Amino acid sequence: MSTLSIIGTPIGNLEDITLRALKVLGSSDLVLCEDTRMTKRLFDRHGISVPTKSYHMHSKLSRVDEIITLLKAGKNIALVSDAGTPGISDPGSELVSRIRKECITEISAGELKIEAIPGPSALTSALSIAGVPCADFTFLGFLPHKKGRETLFKEITASERTMVFYESPHRILKTLDSLVEHLDTAKKVTVCRELTKIFEEVVAGSAQEVKAYFETHTDKVRGEFVVIVSRE
Ligand code: SAM
């Protein structure tokens, strides 16, 4: 029996990792990492020493063949990304999809298992502290830079549902500009910045108010951002 474990890791605070994640990481034959140097910081903090190999967006298809061969040989492999949950705006889903297709016989025979070791995600962390309706919501990942961007802003504006997306420090002001342009003033914008880190911050208000805040506090236009648009 071999296992591919998809493991959630911290989004900033290195203590945000489950006991099960530490146990599985420490006993894996191989850990696939988006960036081995980032994962080393986590391993050093928790005294884990196991072989690592890179697996990222640009990994060749042959890397997946290598992984499948190892799994078929009975090895236990873990997958982590630089932060949060693999597959959520991060590498992982293509690998899982190929393994589900190409190892269908082993999976049905109970010889190979793909398991979730859940952990943090910026998406759920932001929603948990924003105080917005989140019984149902739409997650948009990163907004496109050009094609489809306008259409998406129209969708965000028209939706009654809470809309969540990821944004970088280089584009947050531009995105807030677009929200000011499109949103009606009754809509609430919540920006969650640097979650779980020293400068964690939640800024909420109309698009205009949130934009004015970041234009005034230019020192805060850095780090990592989750943007939420909601009706209240
Ligand atoms: N897989 C990750 C997850 O589960 O949240 C997301 C990875 S994605 C490449 C990185 C983006 O997630 C960042 O640009 C930012 O928008 C968001 N993000 C990650 N960590 C964050 C944090 N500590 N605070 C706010 N946003 C964060």
Side-chain angles (χ1 to χ4, degrees):
M1 165 87 169
S2 54
T3 307
L4 174 69
S5 308
I6 310 298
I7 303 187
T9 58
I11 57 167
N13 186 324
L14 291 182
E15 294 190 355
D16 291 335
I17 185 147
T18 68
L19 295 174
R20 185 168 168 233
L22 291 176
K23 198 160 100 185
V24 172
L25 282 169
S27 63
S28 293
D29 295 306
L30 175 68
V31 177
L32 301 169
C33 317
E34 189 180 1
D35 180 342
T36 50
R37 289 161 307 179
M38 283 290 286
T39 304
K40 189 174 180 307
R41 285 180 52 219
L42 178 71
F43 281 12
D44 287 349
R45 173 72 180 74
H46 294 285
I48 294 170
S49 171
V50 292
T52 57
K53 220 171 214 181
S54 72
Y55 177 80
H56 46 74
M57 239 168 37
H58 306 293
S59 286
K60 294 197 182 107
L61 290 178
S62 57
R63 175 55 48 93
V64 180
D65 295 333
E66 257 176 64
I67 296 165
I68 290 178
T69 306
L70 288 170
L71 286 169
K72 287 188 177 174
K75 301 288 183 200
N76 292 317
I77 299 182
L79 173 75
V80 296
S81 62
D82 284 353
T85 301
I88 307 296
S89 297
D90 259 347
S93 36
E94 270 182 45
L95 174 70
V96 172
S97 162
R98 267 199 64 192
I99 292 175
R100 286 208 178 278
K101 273 187 208 134
E102 293 179 32
C103 300
I104 193 158
T105 317
E106 290 78 6
I107 292 172
S108 328
E111 292 161 7
L112 167 59
K113 185 176 160 198
I114 301 178
E115 69 178 9
I117 312 282
S121 175
L123 166 65
T124 48
S125 304
L127 284 171
S128 74
I129 57 168
V132 299
C134 51
D136 66 343
F137 61 87
T138 301
F139 175 55
L140 302 167
F142 286 101
L143 301 185
H145 292 185
K146 290 200 175 91
K147 199 166 175 281
R149 192 174 161 89
E150 270 308 292
T151 317
L152 219 42
F153 276 111
K154 285 184 187 141
E155 267 177 48
I156 292 170
T157 307
S159 179
E160 274 299 295
R161 224 176 237 152
T162 295
M163 306 290 261
V164 191
F165 56 92
Y166 288 163
E167 195 47 279
S168 75
H170 315 291
R171 304 187 64 83
I172 187 74
L173 286 176
K174 189 166 184 276
T175 293
L176 289 171
D177 266 343
S178 302
L179 290 176
V180 168
E181 188 187 319
H182 287 87
L183 288 186
D184 83 53
T185 47
K187 281 273 173 92
K188 177 175 166 187
V189 173
T190 306
V191 172
C192 300
R193 187 175 86 87
E194 293 290 83
L195 291 162
T196 78
K197 304 184 203 176
I198 296 171
F199 297 109
E200 175 173 305
E201 182 178 24
V202 175
V203 182
S206 68
Q208 188 66 59
E209 285 165 344
V210 175
K211 181 185 158 216
Y213 176 85
F214 282 104
E215 279 174 347
T216 317
H217 301 86
T218 47
D219 56 317
K220 311 240 168 145
V221 186
R222 59 173 68 147
E224 301 192 277
F225 297 84
V226 180
V227 181
I228 304 174
V229 178
S230 57
R231 60 175 188 276
E232 60 189 57

